[in-house]
Amino acid sequence: MILNSSLNSIAYSSTLPPDWPGGFWWHWLLFTVIIIVFALTLVMGFIWIERRGMGRMQARLGPNQAGPFGLLQPVADALKILLKEDIIPAKADRIVHWLAPVVAFAPALMIFAVVPFGDGAMLADLDIGILYVVAIASISAIGIFMAGWGSSNKYSMLGAMRGIASVVSYEIPVVLAIAGVVLVAGSMSLNQIVLAQDIPFILLQPLGFLLFFIGGCAEINRSPFDLMEADSELTAGFHTEYSGMKFAMFYLMEYAEAVAISAIIATLFLGGWRGPLLPPWLWFVLKVIFVFFIMVWTRTTLPRVRIDQLMALAWKFLFPLALINLIVTAIQILVWPDALPWILVPINLAIMALLILLWSKLFKLGWGRVEV
Amino acid sequence: MGLVVAFWILAVVGILGALGVVLLRNIFRASLCLVLCFLAVAGIYATLSADFLAGVQVLVYVGAIAVLIILAIMLTREVERGSLSNRLRIPAFLVAVLFLGVVSFAILNSLWSVSALPPLEPTTAALANRLFGEGGFILAVEIAAVLLLAAILGAIVLVREK
Amino acid sequence: MKFERYGIGIAKGLRVTIRHLFRHPVTVQYPEQRLNISRRTRGNELIWDKVKCTGCATCAKSCPQGAIQIVTSTSMEENKYEVEQIEVDTGYCISCGLCVEACPFEALYMGYAYERAKYRRGEVVQANEQLLPSPQRQRSGYMYPKIADELPRQTLLIERITEEK
Amino acid sequence: MEVAREHIYSDADLDRVEGNQIEALKAHSQQPFPDPDEWLDEKLERNILLITVDAALNWARRSSLWPAICFPACCAFELIAANASRFDLSRFGMEILRASPRQADLMITAGTLTWKMAPQVRRIYDQMAEPKWVIAMGACAISGGIFTSSYSVVPGYNRIIPIDVYVPGCPPRPEALIYGIRMLHSKIARRSLGTEAK
Amino acid sequence: MTVALSGKEIATKIEERFPGSVVKSSPDSLVVKSEFLLDVATFLKTTPDLDFDYLTAITAIDYYDRFEVVYQLTSIKHNHSLMVKTHCYGRDNLSLPSVVGLWRGADFQEREIYDLMGISFDGHPNMKRIVLWEGFEGHPLRKDYGT
Amino acid sequence: MRDTRYARIMVLKTEPFILNIGPVHPSTHGVFRMRTTLDGEVVVDVEPVFGYLHRGIEKLAEERTYTGVIPLTDRLDYVASMSNNLAYCLAVEKLAGISVPERAEYLRVILAELQRIASHLIAVGAFLNDCGAFFTPFLYMFREREKIVDLFEMVSGQRLLYNYMRIGGFNQDVPDEFLPALDKLLAQMPRFIEEYERLLKENEILLARAKGVGILPKEVAINISASGPVLRASGVKWDIRKKDPYSIYDRFDFDIPTGEVGDCYDRYRVRVEEMRQSLRIINQARRQLPAGEVKSEVPHLVRPPAGEAYAHIEAPKGELGFHLVSDNSIAPYRCHIRAPSLLNLTALRDMAIGWKVADLIIIFGSIDIVMGEIDR
C-alpha cells in the first residue's frame, strides 16, 4: 500500500532515469520481479550457507544429499513445508492466526524496494529511503505479535512479548546509528549514501556499524538475541502452533529479514555495490553474503542473552553510545567539514574503543534475583 | 488518475479501520484495526507527496505507539469480551455527536486555500529548513525536547524502587 | 552483567569456531563410507551354530529377557537333545551378550552387522534357519578372541584427528 | 539463603485427571496398531502424469524429514550421536529438530515408553501435521525391551501409534538408525498423490 | 575413609537419652522404635560429636511380616556414617514420622517410598504419588504386588 | 480459594501464570515436567513432576539373577553405564565377599574415570546448549565423547550401554589395541579440553548468564543431600573417592575441585576441572596397570549369604549407592538405588525461585540430571 503510493509520488518526480524503455511501468515490473527473485534466491542461498557453514564450524558436513553439495536442500524444505497439512488450533483466533504470517512476511520483502543493486538500479529511489526501511521493518513485529496472540499458546505468547519488547527498544539505537551515517552522507536516499562512500562508512562510523549490527541482529532475532524463539526455553516461540504454508512464511521471513538487514548493512557501511573490477551487483551480493556470514559465525559461537540483559543492553549500553556517536559525528561534520577522511578514521576508532571501555567499566547490564 | 484511485482506496481502508477500532468487541482486533488505520493515513500522506511524514507516521505510530498499545492490552483481562456497555453509554453518545458537529462546522466554515504550487521535492530538506532554519520553529522544537526530557525523568522517578 | 572483559572472551570463542571451519570435518558419510565397528560388536542378532548346539537351553535360561525360545526333543541315539525350534525376537533382545557368555558349547555368537531395520513387527523375530551364519551374517568376536583377530581393526576417531594436526 | 516461602503444589484434581487419562488410554490400547505396510504388497499402478509430480514431492519430503522431539530415554543419546558431528544426520537435511510437533514430519521414538508418558506421546503424534512417519528406535520402542514385564511400561509404541519402520537394537548404532531412515526414504518414495487423496 | 560407627555404641547413647527406644543393635546398624524415630533423628543430627548432617539414602524393605525402613546417615564434618532402621508392622495404613524437617533430602525419597511401598510419612508437606500416576492400583515394590 | 492462594505470593499482583515446561521439551533432558508458576517472566515457584520414565527397575531387579541385573543398571544413568555397573558390582562383591584381581581393579578405575569424562562432557555441553549456544559446544563435546565411546565400544562391543563389568571383574580382558588407543587419547585430551575452554569459558554473555545465578549455599546443599559436582560447587570438599575410597582410589593422587559460591558457573567449572583430574587418575592407573587375570573365580549363579550391604561410588552425577538385600537366593531380595540426580533435583526449587524462566532452564541444566536415574 505504502509502496504503491510512494511509487506514485515518484512517478511525478524526476528521479526516474529517462532512458528506460516504456518508462515507469517497465521499470516497476522489472524490478519487482528482480527483487522477488533476488530476495527468494538469496533466502534459499542463505539457508544453505547457514546450514552448511554452521555445519562446518561444528566439525560436520551439513546437508549434502539433496542436489549437488546439498544446494537443493532449501528447495526440498520449501516444497515439503508447503505441502504439509495446515493446522489451526481449536482455541486460536482464526483470523489473526491466519493473517499473522502475511503481515510478518510482506514487510521483509518490501524493504528491498529501496536497496540499490547498482548505480540507480533499484525499484524506487526514495528520498527518505533509510527511513522507509526502518518504518517498514517495524511492521513485521506486529505480525509476530499477532502470531503469538492468535495461537493461544503460552509459549507463543511469551515469545511474542519478548519479540515486541526487543523491537521497541532496539529501534532507537538502530535509528540513531543510521542518523550518524545520514549525517555523513548528507542524504537519506540509499543510492546517495552509496555514492557518498568514497571510503566505506564502516571506517568513518565504526561505532555506528557496531551498534547497527548488534541492534539489527536483535531486531531480526538472530542469535545471540533469538529470545522469542529460544528453543531451549520456549520450544519454538511465537510460531509453535504454526504448520504448513504459514510456518513456511515465518521460516522464510526469518531469513528474508536477515537478507534485508545484511543488505542494509552492506549498503550503509560497506559501500553497497561499489567496488573495483567486478560488476556492481556481484559486489553487492558478495558484501551481503559476507555480512550474513558474520551473523552465522556469531550465531554458532555465542550463547543467548536473557531478556532483561537484552533490554538493559539496548537502554544502558547501545542507546547512550549511539547518542554520543551522533553528537560526535555532528561535531566532526560541523567543525571539520573538509577534513580528510583518513584522519578521521583513526580518531573515530579511538573514540569507539574509549567509549566501549568506559561503558564497560561504568554500567551493569541486567539484574539478578528478584525477591518474590 | 493513479493518485485518485490510491486516495479512495486508502480513504476507505482508513475509515473501515477506524470503524473497526470503535466497533469491535475484541480489543486485540480493535488495536490491529488501529494499526491498519495508521497505515492508511501514512498512505494518504504519501499520495500528498509528504513522504517524510509518511515514513515517520509508520515508524512512530505503527512501530512504537501501536506496539505499546498492544503490549498494554496484554495486561488486560478477558480481551475477547472487551469493554462492556455501562451507564456512560448515553453521555458518551452525546459527546460524540457534539464533537461531530464541531468538526463538521469547522470543516464547512474554513476557507481552504489550495496552493497552485507543485509539491516540494524533496520534502526532507524543506522540512528541516522550516524547523531549524532562519525564522523557523527552533524554539518550539527545543521546548518540546525539554518537555519530553522532563517527562522521561518524571517517569523514571515514579517507577524507581524506593 | 558487566562487560568486564571488553569482548575478549567473545573474540576467543569466535576464533575457535572459525578455526573449525578450516579443519576437516569428522563426519563419516554412512551409506557411502563405513566405519569399521568394534571387533567385539554386539550386533542385535544372534548367530547360531547348529552343529555345535546341544540344545541345553543355557542361553535361554541366562537371557535376562527371555527373548530366546528354544524347543528341543530328546533324540534316541546319543545322550543329546535335538533342537526343533529356536527363535529370537530381536525386538526384545537388548544385546547384552549374556547368552553368548553362558553358552558352554561355543554354539552361539553375537552378530557383526547392524543393518536390521524392518517394516513389520513380525519380521523382527528370527527363527531357525535365519539364525545360521551366512556372508551377510558374520560372527562377532564377542567372547571369542580368535574370531576377533580375523575381523578388521576398528576405526577410531582419535587416529583420524592426529593425521590432520 | 533458604527459600522459606511455602510451596505451591499442583492440585490433586489435576493429578487425578492425568491419572484418569492414563488409565483410559491404557484400557483403550491393549492391542497393537497394525503396521501400515499395505504398500509393500501393492503393485505400482500410477497415472503417468502423476509420476513426475509424485517423484518431485517425494524427493522433497524425504530430503527434508524434520524429526520431532520425543526422546524419553537411553536411545536418545544414540539419536543425538547420529545427529552430532560424527554421523551427522544433517546430511539428509534432518538437523532441524523441531521442538514444536506441528512442524515436524518424523517421530523417532527413542526410548522406553511408560504409561504415564503415553498420553503425551499420543498427543504429540496427533499434533504433528500430515504427512507424518514414525520410526521405532530400539528394543523398548519395539516391544518394551528389557522392561516389558514391568508394571508401568508400554510394551511397544505400536500400542499407541502406528509405526512405519522398526530399528532393533538396544540401542541401535547411529548407522543402524540411518539405515532405518533410508528404509523410510524408500517407503516415502512409494507414496503417491493418488493414494493420498483417498 | 568413612568410619561406619558401631550401632551398639550409638545405641547405648540413645538409650541414655530416650529409654526404651532402641529395639535391636548390631555392629553395623541399629533399629529404633518408630515412635522415637523423629527424636532419635534429631538427637543424631544435633549432638555435637555425632553431627549427622547428611542423609545419604532412605530405603524401605518388605519382609512380609514387617516393613523395614533404613536411613543411611553420614556426617560430612566428622566423616562417619551410621545405618538406622525402623520397623513398621501390618500391611495397611502404615505411617512413620517424616524427617523432611531435619533433612530436606528426604523429600523425594519419602514420597517415593510412599508411592512404591505404601508407607506414608506424617508431616511431609506433599505426600502424594511421585513416579506413578494418581489412580494406580497398589504399591509395586511390595512383595505381594501382582500376585 | 485458588485466587487467594496465589494472591499471597504474587508481588506484582499480576495474573498467576502457570507454565508446564515439559514433559516433552527440548531442554528438560528427557521426559521431565517443571510446573512453574510465573509472575511475568519471574519464577515464583517450581515443582518438579517426574515419573514419566519410571520403568520399575528396582522391582525388575528382584526377578533377575545377580548377573542379570547388570544390564538393568546400565539403563539407570545411561550416559554413565560403566559407573553404574561398577557401583552395582561393588555392592554384590561386598555382599558376597568376592575379591577382584588387581588388573581388573585398575581397569575399572580407568574405565570409570573415562566414563566420568564422557558424562561430564555431555553435562557441560548440554549446559552450554541450554545457555543458548546453538549446539556448537554440545557438538564439540559430543565429538570428544565419541572418542571415548570408541574405546568403550572396543572393549565391550556396545556404544552406550556397555554391560562390561561382571561380579568379580570383567567378562573378558581388554583387547590389545586398547592401551595404545588409550595413550593416544590421553595425549590428545588436554589439548581439546583447552580448546573448548577457550570457546566459552570467558565469554561475556555466558558469564552474565551463569555467574551468580542459581546459588546453592553450602548448608542447603548438605541439607538436601546433594552430591557430586553440585555439592562440590557449593564449596563442600566431599568426594567419596577421597573420603571413603572404594576400589583402589586411595592409590592415586588427585585433587577435589570445589567452587566458591555455588552458582551455575561454578558447577560448570567444577565439572571441567574434574575432567582434568580424571585424566590425571587415568594417567597414573595406566602407568601402574599390572598384567594378570581380570576375573576372579565366581560361580555362574552368584548366591550371596543372607544379609545386606550398601556400596556407594562417586558417579559422575554424585553419590551412586546400591543397597542390596540378599536372602541367599540367586536374585536380590531388594535392590534400592540411591540415585544422585534425584536428590540433586531437590535443589532446583531453592535455586530457581526469583530468577527468570531462562535462568530456570540453565539452572536445571547445571544440575545435570538424567531421567533414567531419577525415575528408575
Side-chain angles (χ1 to χ4, degrees), chain C residues 110-121:
Chain C
M110 296 307 293
Y112 188 66
Y114 46 81
E115 292 164 331
R116 319 296 325 157
K118 297 281 188 297
Y119 289 116
R120 293 182 174 123
R121 173 72 179 88

Side-chain angles (χ1 to χ4, degrees), chain F residues 57 97 141 172 263:
Chain F
I57 287 184
M141 304 293 171
Q172 60 199 102
D263 53 9

Side-chain angles (χ1 to χ4, degrees), chain F residues 56-216:
Chain F
I57 287 184
E58 290 180 9
K59 182 77 179 174
L60 289 175
E62 291 170 12
E63 297 158 1
R64 281 162 205 237
T65 59
Y66 278 94
T67 313
V69 174
I70 297 177
L72 279 173
T73 65
D74 275 334
R75 284 153 184 82
L76 279 171
D77 175 358
Y78 34 79
V79 294
S81 326
M82 284 285 185
S83 307
N84 302 339
N85 291 354
L86 175 59
Y88 174 74
C89 291
L90 284 175
V92 180
E93 283 153 14
K94 195 170 171 185
L95 194 61
I98 297 168
S99 65
V100 180
E102 196 79 335
R103 183 177 170 83
E105 293 274 26
Y106 276 96
L107 282 175
R108 277 181 174 186
V109 168
I110 291 176
L111 292 173
E113 292 305 315
L114 277 177
Q115 183 71 78
R116 184 185 316 279
I117 298 175
S119 171
H120 280 347
L121 280 170
I122 287 186
V124 170
F127 167 69
L128 296 176
N129 200 31
D130 285 342
C131 287
F134 197 83
F135 293 111
T136 311
F138 191 67
L139 290 183
Y140 288 173
M141 304 293 171
F142 229 88
R143 189 181 66 177
E144 295 314 298
R145 176 179 174 270
E146 204 63 43
K147 293 171 189 166
I148 298 171
V149 166
D150 266 348
L151 292 185
F152 285 152
E153 190 193 342
M154 186 193 281
V155 297
S156 76
Q158 274 280 23
R159 281 172 45 87
L160 188 68
L161 307 171
Y162 310 114
N163 184 24
Y164 181 49
M165 288 184 198
R166 291 287 180 274
I167 296 153
F170 290 98
N171 61 358
Q172 60 199 102
D173 201 351
V174 291
D176 302 334
E177 63 256 44
F178 175 74
L179 290 175
L182 179 69
D183 290 337
K184 232 174 226 168
L185 183 83
L186 286 174
Q188 279 183 17
M189 208 63 186
R191 209 181 74 221
F192 280 103
I193 293 180
E194 279 310 313
E195 181 163 18
Y196 303 137
E197 286 276 273
R198 271 208 300 283
L199 178 64
L200 281 173
K201 180 185 165 192
E202 293 176 13
N203 189 299
E204 283 80 0
I205 300 177
L206 185 80
L207 290 176
R209 285 297 303 281
K211 262 220 152 132
V213 171
I215 292 174
L216 184 68

